[in-house]
Amino acid sequence: MVASGMRRYRQRKPEHDQLILQPNGPLEPSAIFARTAKLRLEIGFGHGRFLSQMAAAHPEEDFLGIEALPIRVTKTAHWSHKRGADNVRLICGDADRLLQQLIPEQSLHRVYILFPDPWPKQRHRRRRLVNRRFLHSLTRCVAPGGRFIFASDTHNYAMQTLSNLSTLPSGLWVNNYAADGGYRFNIPTRFPTVFEEHHKAIGNRIAYLMLTRTTMALP
Ligand SMILES: C[S@@+](CC[C@H](N)C(=O)[O-])C[C@H]1O[C@@H](n2cnc3c(N)ncnc32)[C@H](O)[C@@H]1O
């Protein structure tokens, strides 16, 4: 069922289509944005608040977002268009395929995965998006010095992500929060996502990860 406030996003308008890519082969960011700039990717952007606010705050960089639910993609295209963000492009689809097949090697300056579907039950954990294979693809796509930022109210998911990263050859990533034991909890953020605000409002503890890609090549 679609919430009443979302119904107006069932119909896509031409100005939305301009922001939504339908790639059938590897992406060429400089052709998409008609310039060469640092590229940030948000995976599972949901209602798109973080993505469109970040893009408006950083007009000198380009922003790509991928989200599985079409209605959320249309909503984000609507708000990005309203904010006049020329530097945003959206894809409706699966992030796993995007990283494996469509994003060029070492092309991403930041990757955000904020409140991915948590699949908290033990028997459902294998459905989590951020698994070993996914992290391998992500490592290939992030440029040296680029960062991977992850947040979840499901502590176990954050732990699993760090543990999966540790199975990659050592030296590919530096953990920015190593001195804090690997994570930080409940840190203030500039543009909270819809899920982040909800979890903070009900007092849930949120785990944040930040890692920086080194210059080491992926073997
Ligand atoms: C819990 S919501 C969080 C949304 C947003 N990041 C936030 O914090 O408000 C997770 C989002 O990830 C999307 N998603 C789940 N699996 C995905 C996949 N394989 N590729 C792209 N998006 C996905 C879902 O449709 C959903 O909108």
Side-chain angles (χ1 to χ4, degrees), residues 59-89:
E60 73 291 357
E61 296 187 17
D62 291 329
F63 291 77
L64 192 61
I66 182 155
E67 164 57 49
L69 289 184
I71 201 160
R72 293 184 174 174
V73 176
T74 309
K75 179 179 180 181
T76 305
H78 173 84
W79 284 106
S80 301
H81 177 73
K82 265 201 127 166
R83 290 198 164 95
D86 293 336
N87 56 344
V88 177
R89 293 294 183 279

Side-chain angles (χ1 to χ4, degrees), residues 42 44-46 67-69 72 93-95 114-115 117 129 193-195:
E42 186 181 5
F45 56 73
E67 164 57 49
L69 289 184
R72 293 184 174 174
D94 174 31
L114 307 172
F115 304 88
D117 291 335
L129 174 67
T193 74
V194 168
F195 277 71

Side-chain angles (χ1 to χ4, degrees), residues 148-152 154-166 173-187 205-212:
F148 168 41
I149 293 110
F150 174 101
S152 179
T154 306
H155 188 193
N156 172 275
Y157 199 169
M159 279 195 325
Q160 189 187 51
T161 298
L162 274 189
S163 151
N164 283 337
L165 278 164
S166 74
W173 292 95
V174 170
N175 187 334
N176 292 54
Y177 299 155
D180 306 287
Y183 323 81
R184 283 191 186 162
F185 291 103
N186 293 350
I187 53 178
R205 202 158 82 126
I206 299 169
Y208 294 86
L209 307 181
M210 187 191 284
L211 294 107
T212 302

Side-chain angles (χ1 to χ4, degrees), residues 42-50 66-70 72 91-97 112-119 127 129 134 151 153 192-197 199:
E42 186 181 5
I43 291 175
F45 56 73
H47 296 268
R49 197 204 283 173
F50 172 81
I66 182 155
E67 164 57 49
L69 289 184
R72 293 184 174 174
I91 298 175
C92 184
D94 174 31
D96 205 22
R97 174 175 173 257
Y112 302 92
I113 306 183
L114 307 172
F115 304 88
D117 291 335
W119 298 111
R127 298 184 192 174
L129 174 67
F134 180 90
D153 60 301
T193 74
V194 168
F195 277 71
E196 186 170 14
E197 240 173 34
H199 286 298

